[in-house]
Amino acid sequence: MNNIIFLDIDGVLNNYSLIRNYGLDYIDNDMVKILKNIVNITNSKIVLSSTWRKKATDRLLVKSSLALEGMNFIDCTSVRSFDDRCDEINDWLIANKETVSNFIILDDDPDASNDNLSKHFFQTDGDIGLTNEIAQQAINFLNLGLQI
């Protein structure tokens, strides 16, 4: 059984200011290090749920950014004809239910959650990205089932 992190990129591993300064394909290594802390402490696996999963070049950028910190993603959520991230996450959870012990969703977009997923949803601020405070909340939830 695995802890799973459903990972968005824009607004999580970068922020809007960094995107304006460095371009749409920028991933911040400091935020990747915060993610690594979550992964290491909770022994989690990453599933890419970001729109970055849709293009091979974007997936490769994510893969190389994560690899700098010794991480990788194990899978991507499906791509539906309409962009409904919470349904795509639900589809993945149903298909992999025997392997998931707990999960979180790291995303800046509230559309990544619904009533069934809300307690697993850790929303970042797209103007800031992933913070140590959100990381600690995610760690507590994954390790102890707690959400602060």
Side-chain angles (χ1 to χ4, degrees):
M1 299 292 275
N2 295 302
N3 284 331
I4 300 294
I5 298 171
F6 290 98
L7 180 65
D8 181 34
I9 301 300
D10 291 329
V12 177
L13 294 186
N14 59 31
N15 60 46
Y16 303 138
S17 176
L18 292 169
I19 292 170
R20 279 191 298 279
N21 290 335
Y22 300 108
L24 292 172
D25 60 350
Y26 183 79
I27 297 175
D28 183 76
N29 195 52
D30 289 335
M31 294 179 205
V32 172
K33 288 178 181 179
I34 295 171
L35 176 65
K36 179 183 180 177
N37 194 42
I38 299 170
V39 168
N40 286 348
I41 292 173
T42 64
N43 195 29
S44 292
K45 308 293 183 199
I46 298 169
V47 174
L48 194 60
S49 57
S50 171
T51 56
W52 287 55
R53 76 194 187 287
K54 294 180 179 181
K55 291 176 25 186
T57 54
D58 291 343
R59 287 190 306 273
L60 192 56
L61 279 170
V62 173
K63 193 171 280 224
S64 63
S65 293
L66 295 177
L68 291 173
E69 293 299 326
M71 296 182 293
N72 199 354
F73 56 89
I74 61 163
D75 202 357
C76 298
T77 56
S78 64
V79 177
R80 292 175 166 225
S81 57
F82 53 94
D83 196 19
D84 194 351
R85 195 164 298 172
C86 60
D87 287 340
E88 295 163 345
I89 289 170
N90 270 326
D91 288 349
W92 194 94
L93 287 167
I94 290 167
N96 296 278
K97 63 184 171 214
E98 286 83 24
T99 64
V100 178
S101 56
N102 200 357
F103 68 95
I104 61 166
I105 302 163
L106 288 177
D107 206 309
D108 66 319
D109 188 342
D111 289 343
S113 182
N114 60 22
D115 289 342
N116 294 333
L117 300 175
S118 62
K119 74 177 185 175
H120 299 271
F121 182 58
F122 292 82
Q123 186 173 9
T124 60
D125 181 332
D127 291 324
I128 299 170
L130 184 59
T131 64
N132 285 314
E133 179 183 33
I134 292 170
Q136 189 58 58
Q137 292 171 4
I139 289 165
N140 290 343
F141 182 83
L142 286 169
N143 280 347
L144 306 172
L146 302 175
Q147 186 171 12
I148 298 170

